[in-house]
DNA sequence: ATCAAGTCTGAAACTTGTTCTAGATTAGCG
DNA sequence: CGCTAATCTAGAACAAGTTTCAGACTTGAT
């Protein structure tokens, strides 16, 4: 029973069971260390030791610390998408549902602020060499938002709005994590940007 | 004639002339190295050498690489605010003027993409210890946007919109810098988010 | 079962951000 | 001028990400 997740890796070379296990151990150690002290606490030597893997092996699985943390984020996002699916938001408007969904995710992050720090910092610090992985995270986030909107077939305008929402989401998280914005502030920003969705409700002249 | 900029540092201890000169040399070296190879090319030893200052001194002036790059950004932003002031945007709507202003800034960044990379990456990677400096950058950005709106006395709603615009601006830059979004895409995102301004034009029922 | 290719391990080495130290220089002051 | 505190310099030292390498272990195919 090899649990193959639906939205996962390209799975270039299929991993053996032991390799899959190593990969899981590494991701687990990464998340654990991150939960403690955030980005800085995820030290490659420690991750290697915690996951019972040689440093060189760690680097074979994840070519850099940022790759590792972005993969950790993919992992967590899948989790969250699953959780969110179970109890879909109940608002009347698409904007309200999206805002509610993002606030739910935000509350989850608040429970593990250090982990959030590690993941989000890695995500925005990632350079070109991590683009595919970051893109995957972005697609997953988009999927979550579209789910909340309940629009299986969004217009280009709506996709633009979703992109802007994602931008705001990431950047607002950053300001919260670095102590420059309060939780309340983040909430306001999310609600504000979600209004863009109403603005692009189909049946409106585009411009 | 000690040119004291209007929006500058708290100037805790006033610097002597030679110190001011050192500071300028450092910032200049930083910008120069950044223009070459972006974030990675700004190596503290090189900055120290280029600016004819000992490594320890560099760290006395800027307590970390991120501090240095954020200060570099403040410097460049002041420049840009000055430039933008000279030719204010000409659009009819506030949203249009803000979008035009940001696109103008964006085109300036496109001319020095490596410098942009160094500054923006530093900005979003900055942790709590750099909050005051990052905040200053944020205030300066807000000032530029409010200038473009031509609203000397914005409502709280408008301030929220401006915050969201800044979020989008930063995050969109990141996606462009890491090659995940095209210039055209960034343009669309900026234009999309600027619509929020019309939405909060005074004289509208606030919800 | 055996062999070749690929993978993993442990340890050292290298890079770059950051810290520390001892001595030289400078600034402000009486 | 001559003193004292602060600042600056050169350079070593340390920390953590990354690379490298020789040898042991697995895997897959014959």
């Amino acid at each position: 029973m090899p649990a193959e997740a639906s939205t996962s890796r390209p799975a270039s070379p299929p991993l053996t069971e032991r390799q899959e296990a190593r990969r899981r151990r590494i991701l687990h150690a990464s998340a654990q260390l991150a939960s403690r002290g955030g980005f800085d606490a995820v030290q490659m030597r420690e991750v290697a030791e915690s996951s019972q893997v040689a440093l060189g092996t760690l680097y074979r699985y994840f070519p850099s610390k940022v790759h590792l943390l972005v993969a950790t984020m993919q992992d967590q996002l899948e989790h969250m998408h699953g959780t969110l699916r179970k109890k879909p938001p109940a608002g009347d408007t698409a904007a309200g549902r999206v805002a509610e969904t993002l606030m739910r995710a935000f509350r989850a992050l608040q429970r593990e602020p250090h982990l959030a720090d590690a993941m989000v910092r890695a995500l925005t610090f990632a350079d070109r060499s991590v683009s595919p992985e970051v893109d995957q995270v972005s697609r997953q986030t988009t999927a979550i938002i579209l789910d909340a909107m309940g629009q299986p077939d969004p217009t280009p305008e709506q996709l633009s709005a979703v992109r802007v929402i994602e931008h705001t989401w990431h950047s607002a998280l950053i300001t919260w994590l670095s102590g420059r914005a309060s939780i309340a502030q983040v909430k306001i920003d999310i609600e504000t940007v979600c209004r863009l969705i109403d603005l692009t409700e189909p049946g409106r002249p585009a411009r």
Side-chain angles (χ1 to χ4, degrees), chain A:
Chain A
M1 47 195 65
E4 183 59 51
S6 51
T7 51
S8 280
R9 260 140 300 309
S12 326
L15 299 183
T16 73
E17 206 163 315
R18 305 185 53 180
Q19 287 176 321
E20 193 56 52
R22 271 193 206 100
R23 188 169 194 283
R24 297 259 109 248
R25 286 207 305 279
I26 293 172
L27 286 175
H28 184 251
S30 167
Q32 185 137 342
L33 287 170
S35 298
R36 296 236 199 301
F39 188 90
D40 294 330
V42 180
Q43 301 194 354
M44 299 304 269
R45 286 173 239 259
E46 289 215 24
V47 172
E49 190 172 355
S50 289
S51 50
Q52 310 249 237
V53 134
L55 191 54
T57 306
L58 172 53
Y59 273 95
R60 170 187 281 275
Y61 280 73
F62 301 98
S64 78
K65 174 169 171 171
V66 168
H67 280 87
L68 170 58
L69 285 172
V70 170
T72 304
M73 177 148 203
Q74 290 181 206
D75 208 42
Q76 304 286 314
L77 253 193
E78 261 167 44
H79 226 254
M80 168 146 299
H81 196 172
T83 307
L84 290 174
R85 253 193 230 287
K86 282 180 205 144
K87 317 185 205 159
D92 288 338
T93 65
R97 289 193 298 276
V98 171
E100 188 186 328
T101 299
L102 291 181
M103 282 309 294
R104 215 182 271 179
F106 183 35
R107 278 188 291 273
L109 292 180
Q110 285 170 51
R111 271 175 244 124
E112 295 287 0
H114 288 306
L115 177 58
D117 172 80
M119 298 189 306
V120 176
R121 297 263 295 287
L123 203 66
T124 63
F125 190 58
D127 66 4
R128 299 180 112 81
S129 71
V130 205
S131 287
E133 288 81 0
V134 175
D135 238 20
Q136 157 84 11
V137 168
S138 176
R139 274 196 299 280
Q140 181 94 15
T141 309
T142 303
I144 291 177
I145 295 175
L146 288 177
D147 261 24
M149 286 173 66
Q151 292 282 151
D153 194 38
T155 66
E157 286 227 296
Q158 288 180 310
L159 286 178
S160 292
V162 170
R163 289 176 57 87
V164 169
I165 289 172
E166 280 187 52
H167 288 318
T168 301
W169 167 244
H170 284 144
S171 178
L173 281 181
I174 292 271
T175 60
W176 168 63
L177 288 168
S178 59
R180 282 179 290 118
S182 65
I183 292 175
Q185 193 67 262
V186 172
K187 183 158 191 273
I188 291 175
D189 291 352
I190 289 176
E191 285 164 355
T192 300
V193 75
C194 282
R195 291 217 230 159
L196 273 178
I197 292 180
D198 297 336
L199 209 59
T200 58
E201 203 97 309
R204 223 174 242 273
R207 228 190 190 305

